[in-house]
Amino acid sequence: MPTPEKVQAVADIRERLEGAEAVFLTEYRGLTVSAVQELRKSVRESGGEYKVVKMTLTKLAAAEAGIEGMEDYLSGPTALTFAQDDPVATAKA
């Protein structure tokens, strides 16, 4: 039985997936904490959001949102970058 926190996390991820102009999957292995903080800051400034999320919850959210083919890329230390306004600016960040 899923916990209420996990159900809410899946709903939040699904909403972000559905509301984003584009979603980028990135591996963050090897990045220092300060590098990740700088990346989050630059993505935020470009109108996006950088989130490290549980892959199992992301797979469930993608399935609920009707997104197919994403499961193959959700392995290892993967983060999601949601581009809200300008996908190009977010990708450059």
Side-chain angles (χ1 to χ4, degrees):
M1 188 74 170
T3 64
E5 293 82 12
K6 288 184 180 181
V7 171
Q8 183 61 45
V10 169
D12 290 343
I13 296 167
R14 187 190 72 242
E15 288 174 11
R16 284 186 172 95
L17 287 171
E18 292 173 341
E21 290 289 321
V23 179
F24 304 102
L25 287 88
T26 59
E27 183 175 318
Y28 60 88
R29 184 183 342 223
L31 292 176
T32 64
V33 172
S34 60
V36 171
Q37 288 175 337
E38 184 61 34
L39 177 60
R40 284 179 200 263
K41 180 182 174 191
S42 63
V43 167
R44 195 175 327 111
E45 289 172 352
S46 72
E49 183 179 16
Y50 183 83
K51 297 288 282 184
V52 175
V53 293
K54 287 187 165 275
M55 293 300 105
T56 54
L57 301 180
T58 304
K59 289 177 186 178
L60 291 171
E64 286 183 11
I67 300 170
E68 297 178 10
M70 192 176 190
E71 298 86 21
D72 297 338
Y73 302 104
L74 295 174
S75 62
T78 305
L80 301 177
T81 304
F82 302 97
Q84 306 303 337
D85 300 321
D86 184 5
V88 175
T90 302
K92 287 181 180 181

